[in-house]
Amino acid sequence: MPTATNGNTSLYYDRAGEGDPVVFVPEAGLGGWCWGWQHAAVAGPYEAVVWDLRGTGRSDAPDGPYALETLAADLEAVLSACEIPNAHLVGCGLGGAVALEAARTSSRVATLTLFGTAPRGAQFDLEPLFAPPDDRDALADSLEAGLSAEFLESQPADVCEGIVDWRADGDANRAGWEAQIAALEGFDATEWLVEVTQPTQVIHGDADELVSPSAGRALADGLPRGEFAALEDAGHLAFIERSRTVNDRLLGFLEAHTDDE
């Protein structure tokens, strides 16, 4: 099992494909499964790297709370272990905040693609997305917080059951989730967004009930090279329910900015 190490903490990662690396940073509490829809599209023309935040899945879960700087240092450890000099980062929610912090503190970040991300911690309301991994009913119910009712109603039962299976196997328990979510306390990037000069696309479901689309637009507006795109009727985990649209947009963005590294 490939791992990177930050201090005494072991961090699980998986890599597949060849080419310029695309590194995915998960939402608080969610395992690497959440990027499966993008992994399949990216791992071919690019190298896809998926990892579990500390406190999640196969990574270590030291006592919290965790600081945003610590999670960014974990990401740096993964990049170092993979010998990646420049990575395209893709993050959601807390993962988006980690990617922003890495972009201003690391020399290894080429571009950013951020989903459901706001410039201030007070603009995140992620509690409804959490469910104990050993409670399948709660896991299923909490999907309503991250995915639109339209999407859930349109899917065959086995799709949602499959997501529950992945969550039961790879999501964080309550202690891990609380340790991670603490990283958003006091997070306020509004004063330093101008330091994040990498090309950045901020993609937001316009039915996101956990992070307001207006916060995502404000984030994009505050970034020197930010652009905003809304996905109609999509929820917080828009990259799952609008995976085809997202993948086309992501691949187009990566192709357009490969020479910017």
Side-chain angles (χ1 to χ4, degrees):
M1 185 173 77
T3 58
T5 302
N6 181 16
N8 294 323
T9 301
S10 179
L11 305 158
Y12 168 82
Y13 67 86
D14 178 76
R15 59 196 306 194
E18 299 180 357
D20 293 338
V22 181
V23 181
F24 296 91
V25 192
E27 176 58 283
L30 301 187
W33 65 265
C34 68
W35 296 114
W37 290 259
Q38 283 63 57
H39 186 280
V42 165
Y46 300 92
E47 179 184 29
V49 179
V50 179
W51 61 292
D52 290 338
L53 298 180
R54 63 171 61 205
T56 304
R58 287 162 285 188
S59 289
D60 286 348
D63 292 340
Y66 307 151
L68 188 67
E69 293 80 5
T70 300
L71 298 181
D74 288 347
L75 172 57
E76 181 77 10
V78 171
L79 298 178
S80 179
C82 294
E83 299 182 339
I84 294 175
N86 280 287
H88 302 280
L89 299 185
V90 182
C92 175
L94 172 61
V98 173
L100 280 168
E101 175 68 15
R104 76 160 179 149
T105 58
S106 172
S107 62
R108 299 178 189 262
V109 180
T111 69
L112 299 172
T113 297
L114 308 176
F115 296 92
T117 303
R120 294 189 294 113
Q123 295 169 307
F124 293 78
D125 179 21
L126 302 179
E127 173 70 31
L129 192 59
F130 173 78
D134 59 356
D135 187 338
R136 292 184 62 87
D137 289 340
L139 289 170
D141 290 344
S142 68
L143 291 178
E144 297 177 6
L147 300 166
S148 69
E150 178 184 3
F151 174 80
L152 291 171
E153 291 169 0
S154 68
Q155 298 304 304
D158 61 342
V159 170
C160 293
E161 289 174 2
I163 294 175
V164 169
D165 287 342
W166 294 327
R167 296 193 68 185
D169 182 58
D171 279 8
N173 62 21
R174 185 72 190 184
W177 186 87
E178 288 183 350
Q180 291 173 11
I181 210 70
L184 291 173
E185 294 180 10
F187 169 64
D188 189 343
T190 53
E191 296 298 322
W192 53 259
L193 286 179
V194 294
E195 301 175 29
V196 180
T197 57
Q198 294 90 337
T200 303
Q201 59 173 344
V202 180
I203 303 174
H204 221 106
D206 70 4
D208 189 339
E209 297 180 354
L210 305 184
V211 180
S212 170
S214 63
R217 187 177 293 276
L219 172 61
D221 289 345
L223 291 163
R225 301 176 71 183
E227 57 185 66
F228 181 79
L231 297 179
E232 186 176 1
D233 297 328
H236 185 66
L237 304 179
F239 48 93
I240 293 178
E241 57 182 285
R242 297 287 189 274
S243 59
R244 182 174 299 180
T245 298
V246 164
N247 292 347
D248 287 346
R249 180 177 288 276
L250 175 58
L251 290 171
F253 180 78
L254 294 173
E255 182 178 358
H257 293 290
T258 296
D259 293 335
D260 288 355
E261 300 176 35

